Amino acid sequence: MTSEDYNRKVRVNLVLQCPVPACRGKSFAPLRSSPLTVTVDWQLIKIQELMSDAQREAGRIPRTIECELVHDLVDSCVPGDTVTITGIVKVSNTEEGSRNKNDKCMFLLYIESNSVSNSKGQKSQTAEDGSQHGTLMEFSLKDLYAIQEIQAEENLLKLIVNSLCPVIFGHELVKAGLTLALFGGSQKYTDDKNRIPIRGDPHILIVGDPGLGKSQMLQAACNVAPRGVYVCGNTTTSSGLTVTLSKDSSSGDFALEAGALVLGDQGICGIDEFDKMGNQHQALLEAMEQQSISLAKAGVVCSLPARTSIIAAANPVGGHYNKAKTVSENLKMGSALLSRFDLVFILLDTPNEQHDHLLSEHVIAVRAGKQKTISSAAVARTLSQDSNTSVLEVVSEKPLSERLKVAPGEKIDPIPHQLLRKYVGYARQYVHPRLSIEAAQALQDFYLELRKQSQRMSSSPITTRQLESLIRLTEARARLELREEATKEDAEDIIEIMKHSMLGTYSDEFGNLDFERSQHGSGMSNRSTAKRFISALNSIAERTYNNIFQYHQLRQIAKELNIQVAVFENFIGSLNDQGYLLKKGPKIYQLQTM
């Protein structure tokens, strides 16, 4: 159940009438300075029922009820916790604070709590050095044995990636990115007196054509996370994402009501339909980089923690991804928000005979309940008895995307989600990895190479944020195997995932890597070629006073200018998309930039 934190109040017991027969007065004032006055800690929380699949009823919103906590129960839970409360149901006095004084027979129920059992995550404790540890989970001896068994697996990354969402076929590197977001990097503090934290939570954006299973992967990641919140962008307001200030009807006090990002503190917040959010992207800017949400409303100025990883899924504008446009134009999203995502995966639905054959087999097997394609047999020990080299060393020469794939005949026993949640919680709570010197050197070399390439292309979309992303993800890769030090192999895996992410972000419609595409601009694949072609058309139009061109004329002009493009029709189509040319009829174009 979700608890909402309210301000503490002091509770004073009052009698209704003076017991002295001569007085019988009904107006009292508390003697606050009297030694007989006893004050106790008192807190009012509001709990909301969990709407699980078994209890879900059609067309009913979750019910809420207020609970009174006293003495040591105060502050035993924070917003977002799943709690079980034992107590006595009582009726509150409706006359005070009631708008309609005639409603004297109305029952307002509340629970006087005797115990609070916090099952999903307990309140964060502050260590001696001031750093916050994650939500504390309790582990039984059985859980610890299971965690030890998982850690002893040979190719652990492959096992966890294929356990994340076994229903969706393929997309191994995207699942690997989501897995790294689940584990997260270590939060660090800079060496100044204010101890400004450097965020350790990676953010991931998945953009792609419809029907590729983005929402399924998102929900799987939120289910596995020790604390996960899943919201949909088209039914979400900015105050529902961050925090809202409401007035309590009974007491008249202002109360803060936590939104999705605050409820997902030290966990994961999945936002589906990210492109349908309209103007609410601005609400995320502070939460994604500063890991906090500032509020200034009705005289209340405060800052709430929102240390959460944001995983977003979006459809491109117009349904299908247009490679002639930039990511920013495909999403109608500003570059300020786009630069805050550590990994941007672009999923394209391109027909491929072999892949389509495997995918259709997988879908039919899932529907039919067969175990042929879904590998659910016990995974065999891959360490051979007679040789000292493990299979991991043999396959490490292959690229990561090949290593994560399940071969058609191979059987993998996926880890159940409840157990995987315990494993992720254990890793986040107890493992705080640091970079080794070799890993830091590998990341620095890759970053400097990226900067060189982007400088050569006369633009600089590669910033220090990309370097911090690489460090965060490398730490998450080490944390996945419960290691305290990130090695060079971890860094190489992360570099490959980052290259795969950038290949989609920065490659144009001809497959060439172009770093200017991440900027919000014309989005042409080869800017100088397009500029040269359009300026030639401009000069011809000014000379002939005619800005209408036939398709064969355009082809002839391109031939004279010696413009080399792979498919000329696509080149003209991309110019049409960008608004340089306007298609007036079959094979007739009008120049717009004259």
Side-chain angles (χ1 to χ4, degrees), residues 286-355:
E286 184 196 3
M288 288 179 76
E289 196 58 46
Q290 274 72 41
Q291 302 265 282
S292 65
I293 292 167
S294 305
L295 178 78
K297 286 180 184 176
V300 176
V301 181
C302 67
S303 180
L304 296 175
R307 294 155 295 189
T308 174
S309 289
I310 290 179
I311 302 178
N315 288 326
V317 177
H320 283 281
Y321 193 86
N322 185 357
K323 280 192 141 190
K325 295 182 181 178
T326 61
V327 184
S328 184
E329 287 166 340
N330 268 297
L331 285 184
K332 289 281 192 290
M333 187 190 297
S335 54
L337 185 67
L338 204 57
S339 70
R340 282 168 161 80
F341 284 104
D342 296 23
L343 294 172
V344 180
F345 291 109
I346 293 172
L347 307 182
L348 298 176
D349 196 3
T350 50
N352 180 337
E353 191 177 346
Q354 186 184 1
H355 182 268

Side-chain angles (χ1 to χ4, degrees), residues 313-437:
N315 288 326
V317 177
H320 283 281
Y321 193 86
N322 185 357
K323 280 192 141 190
K325 295 182 181 178
T326 61
V327 184
S328 184
E329 287 166 340
N330 268 297
L331 285 184
K332 289 281 192 290
M333 187 190 297
S335 54
L337 185 67
L338 204 57
S339 70
R340 282 168 161 80
F341 284 104
D342 296 23
L343 294 172
V344 180
F345 291 109
I346 293 172
L347 307 182
L348 298 176
D349 196 3
T350 50
N352 180 337
E353 191 177 346
Q354 186 184 1
H355 182 268
D356 292 347
H357 178 69
L358 289 170
L359 174 61
S360 56
E361 263 193 5
H362 176 83
V363 171
I364 290 168
V366 168
R367 289 290 182 189
K370 294 175 185 171
Q371 300 295 334
K372 188 180 76 169
T373 319
I374 312 169
S375 351
S376 63
V379 61
R381 286 281 172 184
T382 50
L383 192 62
S384 53
Q385 299 294 329
D386 45 4
S387 68
N388 293 326
T389 58
S390 68
V391 172
L392 191 64
E393 291 171 12
V394 177
V395 297
S396 62
E397 296 169 4
K398 292 185 186 175
L400 183 66
S401 54
E402 293 297 322
R403 275 185 278 149
L404 295 179
K405 276 182 185 168
V406 182
E410 191 181 354
K411 302 286 184 186
I412 279 192
D413 186 13
I415 307 169
H417 274 189
Q418 296 85 353
L419 190 54
L420 194 53
R421 186 184 300 132
K422 287 279 185 185
Y423 185 80
V424 172
Y426 181 87
R428 287 180 78 110
Q429 192 167 322
Y430 295 113
V431 184
H432 304 285
R434 290 282 179 269
L435 283 184
S436 65
I437 299 169

Side-chain angles (χ1 to χ4, degrees), residues 230-259:
Y230 175 84
V231 293
C232 199
N234 50 8
T235 54
T236 304
T237 60
S238 57
S239 58
L241 268 179
T242 53
V243 69
T244 183
L245 195 67
S246 64
K247 199 165 186 177
D248 194 2
S249 58
S250 58
S251 62
D253 294 346
F254 283 106
L256 294 176
E257 293 188 5

